[in-house]
Structures are given as C-alpha cells and as structure tokens.
Amino acid sequence: MMNTSPVTPPARRARLLAAGAATVTVGLWASAFVAIRSAGASYSPGALALGRLLTGALVLGAVCAVRGEGLPPRGAWRGIAISGVLWFGFYMIALNWGEQQVDAGTAALVVNIGPILIALLGARLLGDAMPPRLLAGMAVSFAGAVTVGLSMSGGGGSSALGVVLCLLAAVAYAAGVVAQKPALGRASSLQVTTYGCLIGAVVCLPFAGRLVHDAAAAPLPATLDMVYLGVFPTALAFTTWGYALARTSASRMGATTYAVPALVVLMSWLFLDEVPGLLTLAGGVLCLAGVAVSRSRPRRGTAPTVASGPGTASGAGAAAGSAGAPAPDAGAGPV
C-alpha cells in the first residue's frame, strides 16, 4: 500500500543534500571543459586520462585512509570493476581521442546519446520508470545539446574513426553508470569512486611512458590543469555524483547531465573569452528547460510519497540530483 504521509524533515534534508551533491558534480564537470582545453594542448588523450586518474586515486586513497574506510563489500565489486574499466578508463580515453577526430557538432550529437542509453539500460536492467515528463525533457535537452555543439563547431571535419570512438564512449559511459548504481547500494560513494578510479588508472597504465614524456615537455599551467582535473572533477565530483546516484534513479541522473552544455557555454564565455552567439544561447536554454521538465513531477492531490531509503524503488522516485559532464567540445558526458 502506498505511503502518502507528508515528507518528514529528515527526508526533506536528504533530498536537499542529494540535490546539493548533484549541483556540485554538474558545476565541477562543467569546469573541466576549461581545464581540458588547456591541458589537451600539451598532453595526449591517454596520458591526460592516466595523469588525471592517478591524481584522483591518490587524493581519494588519502581520504579513505583518514576516514578509515575499508574495502568495499564483496557484492559491490562487480559494479565497481565494470564502472572502473568502462567509465573511468575506457570512456576517458575514447572520448579524448574521438574529439580530436570530429567537429563539435558531430561530437555533441553522438556523445549526447549517453543519457538516452542510460534511460534505456536503466529501464531494462534496473527497472527504472520512464515517465512521459522524463522522456519529453530528455528530448528537449538533447535538441539543445546538439544546438550548442553545432553552434560552437569550428567547421572542422569528421572521420569515421572519430564517430565510432565517440559512440563507444557514450556506450561505455551509459554502461558504467548502470553498473555503478547497484554497487552504491552495498558500498559508500567514497569506496565506489576510489576503487573505480584506481581500476581506471590501471586500465590506462599502457600510457605511462607517454605521460612521462608529455609531463617533461608540458608547461606548468597544463600540468596544473591536469592535477585540477584529478582533484576536483574526478575525486570530488565523482564522489558527489555517487552520493546523488544512490538516492535517485539512473535515468533521472542521466537526464540531468544535459545541464552541463549550458554551463560550458557560460564558463567558456567567462574564462576563455568565447562569446556565445544567439544560437548557442538558445541551445543552452533548451538544455536547462529539458532538465527542468525531466525533473518535474505532475501535481497531485495527495501528499508526496516518503522515500523508504536510498537505493530503493520509492527512494529513487523521491530523491533529487544527478550530474554529468561535458566533453571537450560541448558534449554531455562526464569529463
């Protein structure tokens, strides 16, 4: 029988914390756009991914040691391993490489299918609901993300290899999120993020030689950008992402990543002096409008249902928060 009692102060506080965690994630992943643009000029895709993940793993490992976090429970390791290989490792390499091969419009179109794949996989594997408002919001946001990508395109060409790499990155991102969701029901967000980041770093170890070579020749600002990517958009943002994901559905989390292209436009304007055109601004507005629609709920005469706890079916529908991240060319996937 459905519980229709009013939302209690603890439940409201939990929702606000999840929403706050999602906001931190979205902001930091969007800020990674600026850092990637700078570091990417001196570091190859694989070297940048490895340097970022090593930095993140060191920071997360130190936090785990201070907090006395032990190893995750056995039941969480499958999801951690899959997300570590696919999302922390393969995704970052494929996306960095792919976006060197295609223009921004193509990248935005291909990479932004990630949240749609998350919704489909979440419905199939996790039993996530797909209400009309969620689907409508994702459609509006996808149109906005593509508009942003096309408007910011420098007119470069696209290669078949680049399209395939961006597509593989989107699939890896979606699969990684869906695999991570059950793990967060058994282990803390800090544990899932720490060991996922460490596994991703192991996947990227073949680029260790290239990292040493690039670091020796790179200017200090580029190296600092790589360190920033590891500390904030990786260590901190992936942890707050996990906190929010544990308290909502994977589908809604994926939908909210469409807020990132709008923030990328704003940050590019503020930090890179890239003045957006009217089409770019319109695309950013569409992204935000779609997120608002996907996160909204129909008005009902009964009071909201109280979430029974993080990671449960009722909790998934009641909690707020999700995040995503831009590709270096205005994509919506985490960076």
Side-chain angles (χ1 to χ4, degrees):
M1 183 175 181
M2 180 177 292
N3 185 352
T4 58
S5 60
V7 177
T8 61
R12 182 180 298 275
R13 180 174 180 272
R15 290 175 58 182
L16 290 175
L17 287 174
T23 302
V24 170
T25 302
V26 170
L28 289 176
W29 277 348
S31 74
F33 171 80
V34 178
I36 286 175
R37 286 285 296 272
S38 176
S42 302
Y43 286 89
S44 64
L48 181 59
L50 176 59
R52 174 180 175 178
L53 289 169
L54 287 175
T55 303
L58 287 174
V59 172
L60 290 165
V63 174
C64 282
V66 171
R67 290 177 55 88
E69 293 269 355
L71 292 173
R74 181 179 300 178
W77 274 106
R78 179 182 178 184
I80 293 174
I82 294 175
S83 64
V85 171
L86 294 180
W87 192 7
F88 286 86
F90 181 82
Y91 171 86
M92 291 189 183
I93 298 172
L95 186 61
N96 288 346
W97 187 9
E99 296 234 1
Q100 291 183 350
Q101 308 293 319
V102 299
D103 60 65
T106 302
L109 175 62
V110 178
V111 172
N112 278 288
I113 70 171
I116 299 174
L117 293 176
I118 290 174
L120 295 175
L121 289 173
R124 174 67 176 174
L125 301 177
L126 303 177
D128 286 353
M130 297 182 68
R133 284 173 180 256
L134 175 61
L135 298 176
M138 292 179 71
V140 172
S141 291
F142 180 75
V146 173
T147 301
V148 170
L150 291 173
S151 65
M152 295 178 70
S153 175
S158 298
S159 70
L161 175 61
V163 172
V164 171
L165 287 169
C166 288
L167 178 60
L168 291 175
V171 173
Y173 159 47
V177 171
V178 173
Q180 190 184 61
K181 172 66 175 175
L184 288 165
R186 298 177 172 87
S188 69
S189 174
L190 180 58
Q191 289 174 320
V192 171
T193 305
T194 300
Y195 290 96
C197 186
L198 184 59
I199 291 172
V202 172
V203 172
C204 296
L205 279 179
F207 299 98
R210 183 69 184 188
L211 174 60
V212 173
H213 175 272
D214 290 351
L220 180 60
T223 300
L224 292 178
D225 283 330
M226 181 178 67
V227 172
Y228 170 83
L229 287 169
V231 175
F232 293 100
T234 302
L236 178 56
F238 273 84
T239 302
T240 51
W241 158 275
Y243 180 89
L245 178 59
R247 290 156 177 83
T248 188
S249 69
S251 301
R252 289 187 181 276
M253 287 290 284
T256 311
T257 63
Y258 282 123
V260 172
L263 293 179
V264 168
V265 172
L266 177 61
M267 291 183 178
S268 297
W269 190 359
L270 294 176
F271 298 107
L272 299 178
D273 293 325
E274 296 178 354
V275 180
L278 291 179
L279 187 60
T280 304
L281 292 174
V285 171
L286 279 176
C287 289
L288 295 177
V291 171
V293 171
S294 67
R295 302 299 303 176
S296 65
R297 300 176 187 173
R299 294 182 179 274
R300 293 174 180 168
T302 58
T305 301
V306 177
S308 60
T312 63
S314 58
S322 93
D329 288 305
V335 292

